[in-house]
Amino acid sequence: QVQLVESGGGLVQAGGSLRLSCAASGRAFSRYKMGWFRQALGKEREFVAAINWSGVSTYYADSVKGRFTISRDYAKQTVYLQMISLKPEDTAVYYCATGAGAYSSVYYYSLSSTYDYWGQGTQVTVSS
C-alpha cells in the first residue's frame, strides 16, 4: 500500500518561507513522478509543482515560478516543496501526489488524473 505523508505546513506572514515535506512508502520511490497540488477554500484543486522520476526535470505553475522549488531525496524517499516570498493567495491545503508516466510537458504533469496516490494534505496559511 502506497502512503504519502505531508508535513511542514503552518501559519506564516506574507513574505515568509516554509518547506513542505512528503514522505513516501510502499513502492519504488525512484520510478515515479511526484507532484504538489493545492486547494484553497471554495476553489478547485490546482497544480503547483512536479518533478520527474529521475529528478532531472521540474515543472511549475506560473503563479509559483521563481518562488517555489521542488526537489526529491531518494535516500529518504521524500519530496520537498521549498516556498519563499509567500503571498496570502498561497493559502491552501497542499497535497502531495505520485504517479507513473514520463511525458515531458508541464501540461501532463499538471493533470491530477495522472497521479494515482495522494497524501492527506497539510494546511498552509499566509497572513497579510
Side-chain angles (χ1 to χ4, degrees):
Q1 182 71 16
V2 175
Q3 284 194 322
L4 301 174
V5 180
E6 301 99 333
S7 61
L11 174 64
V12 64
Q13 288 188 332
S17 302
L18 280 175
R19 189 178 79 157
L20 305 183
S21 300
C22 172
S25 62
R27 68 181 182 188
F29 176 75
S30 61
R31 297 181 184 176
Y32 298 91
K33 69 178 186 285
M34 302 295 295
W36 286 97
F37 290 74
R38 67 187 182 187
Q39 186 167 19
L41 195 62
K43 296 188 177 181
E44 292 186 355
R45 182 171 54 191
E46 64 174 1
F47 169 73
V48 175
I51 188 166
N52 76 331
W53 66 273
S54 68
V56 170
S57 300
T58 56
Y59 306 87
Y60 298 94
D62 288 342
S63 59
V64 307
K65 207 171 289 184
R67 299 188 299 120
F68 291 11
T69 302
I70 188 171
S71 61
R72 61 193 300 168
D73 184 324
Y74 293 92
K76 295 181 178 179
Q77 296 195 112
T78 298
V79 63
Y80 303 99
L81 185 68
Q82 179 68 52
M83 307 184 293
I84 66 171
S85 302
L86 283 161
K87 305 174 181 180
E89 51 263 44
D90 294 318
T91 296
V93 177
Y94 283 70
Y95 298 92
C96 170
T98 184
Y103 296 104
S104 299
S105 76
V106 64
Y107 174 72
Y108 165 78
Y109 281 87
S110 72
L111 292 176
S112 58
S113 60
T114 66
Y115 297 82
D116 51 0
Y117 291 97
W118 295 79
Q120 82 289 349
T122 186
Q123 176 70 47
V124 171
T125 303
V126 184
S127 63
S128 57

